[in-house]
Amino acid sequence: MGVSVLFVCLGNICRSPTAEVVFRERVKAAGLEDRIRIDSVGTGDWHIGKAPDPRTQEAALRRGYSMASLRARQVSPEDFADFDWVLAMDDANLADLKVMRPASYQGTLARFLDYAQHTSVREVPDPYYGGEDGFDTVLDLIEDGAEGLLNRVREQL
Ligand code: 4NP
């Protein structure tokens, strides 16, 4: 018995793969890697099969997270059968997921940052078209969310 967590953004090359590696690191540190399954996807199809954005990878590596082996994939309705938690990076992602969610879904569909405990920001801003600072902001928010999320998820184990 375990729990499964899916992170969702638009392209699956910046925010949600960052959340995947940061959360995986926290889960490993807690010794729970055999009990929590983690993946990330995008709502869009533009970057399917691509590695994360180089700027995202560099910002993550500066904090010790390697994302090089990840490849983008697009969300599908079947993901709701596979994941107990489906967590959107922003409100647009959440709206798209609500349309796709089967009526029978018993898991939790929410904004990832609803679990962050040290910020009132509730959306991870899309860094794709912004400056370099955006990638560090994304990491700050995601580290906060990952900590709070792990506290919640482990209650289900
Ligand atoms: P992500 O960032 O949703 O955090 O992966 C984006 C990446 C690419 C695009 C938009 C957002 N794009 O429009 O190509």
Side-chain angles (χ1 to χ4, degrees):
M1 274 282 290
V3 162
S4 51
V5 179
L6 183 67
F7 298 104
V8 187
C9 64
L10 181 59
N12 193 214
I13 57 169
C14 295
R15 295 165 293 173
S16 64
T18 300
E20 177 181 346
V21 295
V22 170
F23 189 61
R24 181 165 286 127
E25 179 68 31
R26 296 296 186 282
V27 165
K28 261 193 194 144
L32 295 171
E33 66 266 38
D34 294 337
R35 309 192 57 196
I36 302 178
R37 190 161 56 88
I38 307 163
D39 198 5
S40 69
V41 291
T43 58
D45 62 3
W46 310 283
H47 302 284
I48 293 172
K50 300 277 174 56
D53 184 288
R55 300 164 297 174
T56 291
Q57 289 200 52
E58 282 161 21
L61 258 189
R62 285 196 292 271
R63 297 193 191 190
Y65 307 109
S66 174
M67 305 174 65
S69 66
L70 301 184
R71 296 294 179 268
R73 117 175 142 79
Q74 187 177 25
V75 69
S76 81
E78 288 76 48
D79 283 314
F80 285 96
D82 285 344
F83 289 92
D84 305 307
W85 298 74
V86 176
L87 299 170
M89 294 295 127
D90 66 29
D91 288 342
N93 309 146
L94 183 63
D96 288 341
L97 291 164
K98 282 182 173 168
V99 170
M100 185 178 284
R101 170 180 53 184
S104 59
Y105 184 57
Q106 298 282 327
T108 302
L109 171 60
R111 286 185 302 201
F112 170 53
L113 288 186
D114 284 343
Y115 302 98
Q117 293 169 309
H118 306 288
T119 178
S120 57
V121 176
R122 288 293 170 255
E123 297 183 274
V124 183
D126 186 346
Y128 193 68
Y129 294 108
E132 283 297 319
D133 286 3
F135 295 90
D136 272 313
T137 302
V138 164
L139 276 159
D140 290 340
L141 292 168
I142 284 175
E143 287 180 337
D144 190 349
E147 179 190 338
L149 177 65
L150 182 56
N151 291 337
R152 279 295 298 274
V153 166
R154 58 194 312 174
E155 291 169 7
Q156 286 192 358
L157 293 171

